[in-house]
């Protein structure tokens, strides 16, 4: 991705967002009125009422939620639109990282959690304490690319592959003119600037997905199990995607990983990936949507998706994240569930999904969104 004005990230990415607007409508093409959840908050929400712009409200309540920073831009968009239509509902979402969001939900502090990583089996068992008669379930709501942002004056385009990325983030490649980087960027004037690697210091689903990619595609260079906690050597830890992006923006020689909207907002150049496809792939909503379209269910009983990090499909960007809203299958708090269910119904509706590409997010497959709508209708 190239710099602003002459091929810069904002010009290039926003162009991609506009071009991909049709993808959002395609992903949401399932008939929004085909399931009970798409038309109303569903059974058990007698307090629901009609709001503005065709959004069904769930009654007066204040919802506390927390977790994923990956979905923070989307959540601001959803909350603004929903509470404008349903002013009796207040929604406070704290982007404190997927790990903290999971913990707070399992402690009964929040109505729902946002997470880029699914709960473990042990956490699902633990959730039975806060979900009387039920357990936690995952509702995939939005996807998007994890961009690898860099700050290297004079280098308008940077191509890297998984082994080189893994060695950079594991402290084995330490200067920008390293032969491995030079081999991937023939003709580029790479400086001898030291590489300043930034990673998340908090428990992060973005880290989980990023390291899952490194481990899947470059296991020899990244010998660690993926997880929400950073395990690589060297570098500097920063809490949250927003602050991590800010560090990359202000630090010459820097590299870091964060969701595409943070790169767009700060006009940060992003790495093009050599995946083995005929041409390097840029991080944008079209390339991420193409990769996410190949995701498969991880199991039979939940809506967790398994991404194919090793894809070499032309135009498919493989470092992606799917963000879930975590709620109870049964036993959600009666005082807040009607409003929570109405809000999630809106988020999964065509109206809630149709403009996400313009926020920097990739679309989920239509069959997945349709299953989410049906699942919400059966929760209580």
């Amino acid at each position: 991705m190239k710099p602003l004005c002459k091929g810069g990230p904002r010009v290039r990415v926003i162009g991609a967002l506009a071009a991909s607007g049709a993808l959002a409508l395609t992903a949401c093409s399932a008939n929004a009125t085909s399931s009970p959840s798409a038309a109303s908050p569903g059974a058990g929400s007698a307090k629901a009422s009609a709001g503005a712009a065709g959004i069904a409200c769930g009654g007066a309540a204040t919802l506390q939620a927390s977790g994923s920073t990956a979905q923070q831009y989307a959540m601001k968009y959803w909350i603004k639109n929903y509470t404008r239509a349903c002013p009796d509902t207040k929604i406070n979402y704290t982007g404190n990282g997927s790990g903290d969001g999971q913990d707070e939900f399992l402690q009964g502090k929040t109505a729902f959690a946002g997470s880029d990583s699914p709960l473990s089996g042990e956490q699902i068992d633990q959730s039975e304490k806060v979900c009387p008669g039920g357990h936690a379930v995952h509702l995939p709501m939005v996807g998007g690319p994890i961009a690898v942002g860099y700050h290297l004056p004079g280098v308008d385009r940077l191509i890297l592959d998984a082994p080189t990325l893994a060695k950079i983030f594991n402290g084995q490649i330490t200067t920008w003119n390293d032969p491995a980087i030079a081999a991937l960027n023939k003709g580029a004037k790479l400086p001898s600037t030291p590489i300043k690697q930034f990673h998340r210091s908090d428990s992060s689903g973005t880290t989980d997905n990023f390291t899952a990619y490194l481990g899947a595609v470059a296991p020899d260079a990244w010998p660690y199990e993926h997880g929400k906690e950073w395990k690589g050597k060297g570098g500097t830890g920063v809490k949250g995607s927003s602050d991590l992006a800010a560090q990359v923006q202000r630090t010459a020689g820097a590299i870091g990983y964060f969701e595409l909207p943070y790169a767009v907002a700060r006009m940060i150049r992003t790495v093009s990936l050599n995946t083995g496809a005929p041409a390097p792939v840029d991080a944008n909503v079209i390339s991420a949507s193409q990769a996410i379209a190949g995701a498969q269910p991880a199991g039979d009983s939940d809506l967790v998706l398994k991404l194919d990090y090793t894809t070499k499909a032309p135009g498919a960007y493989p470092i992606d994240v799917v963000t879930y809203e975590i709620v109870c299958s049964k036993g959600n708090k009666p005082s807040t569930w009607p409003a929570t269910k109405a809000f999630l119904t809106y988020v999964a509706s065509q109206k809630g999904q149709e403009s996400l590409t313009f926020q920097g997010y990739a679309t989920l497959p239509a069959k997945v969104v349709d299953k989410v709508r049906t699942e919400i209708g059966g929760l209580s």
Side-chain angles (χ1 to χ4, degrees), residues 115-141:
S115 180
D116 314 324
S117 298
L119 297 169
S120 65
E122 182 179 350
Q123 287 176 308
I124 294 290
D125 292 340
Q126 183 183 346
S127 72
E128 295 177 1
K129 296 179 180 179
V130 293
C131 301
H135 55 80
V137 293
H138 304 84
L139 303 172
M141 287 296 191

Side-chain angles (χ1 to χ4, degrees), residues 188-277:
K189 295 181 179 180
L190 297 168
S192 59
T193 306
I195 294 174
K196 298 179 180 179
Q197 177 256 106
F198 292 95
H199 56 266
R200 290 282 290 273
S201 61
D202 50 329
S203 183
S204 162
T206 309
T207 294
D208 193 6
N209 285 272
F210 181 65
T211 58
Y213 164 77
L214 296 179
V217 186
D220 292 339
W222 191 262
Y224 312 107
E225 288 291 328
H226 70 87
K228 294 189 290 293
E229 311 296 334
W230 182 255
K231 299 175 183 177
K233 297 178 181 178
T236 301
V238 181
K239 185 173 182 178
S241 290
S242 181
D243 286 349
L244 198 157
Q247 287 288 352
V248 172
Q249 181 190 35
R250 68 170 65 105
T251 306
I255 190 169
Y257 59 92
F258 32 79
E259 297 74 28
L260 180 62
Y262 294 96
V264 175
R266 293 184 177 275
M267 296 177 284
I268 297 172
R269 296 183 182 95
T270 63
V271 167
S272 298
L273 283 181
N274 181 340
T275 64

Side-chain angles (χ1 to χ4, degrees), residues 37-38 40-41 55-56 63 65 71 75 78 82 91 111-114 137 139-141 324-328 332 336-350 352-353 369 372-373 375-377 379:
S37 64
S40 69
I55 296 174
L63 308 182
Q71 70 170 8
M75 190 58 69
W78 287 326
Y82 183 81
I91 305 173
F112 66 91
V137 293
L139 303 172
M141 287 296 191
Y324 304 90
E325 311 310 331
I326 298 175
V327 293
C328 297
N332 290 284
T336 57
W337 178 238
T340 302
K341 189 170 187 177
F343 175 65
L344 295 178
T345 296
Y346 155 69
V347 168
S349 71
Q350 182 171 344
Q353 292 280 312
V369 177
V372 171
R373 295 168 182 162
E375 180 82 359
I376 295 171
L379 303 177

Side-chain angles (χ1 to χ4, degrees), residues 1 12-13 16-17 20 23 144-146 260 270-273 275 279-294 308 311 313-320 357 361-363:
M1 199 169 291
R12 194 168 173 189
V13 172
L17 301 188
S20 63
L23 285 174
I146 298 173
L260 180 62
T270 63
V271 167
S272 298
L273 283 181
T275 64
V281 185
D282 296 326
N284 60 52
V285 295
I286 297 176
S287 60
S289 293
Q290 184 160 337
I292 292 172
D308 180 10
T311 182
Y317 183 85
I319 316 179
D320 299 306
T357 51
Y361 294 95
T363 56

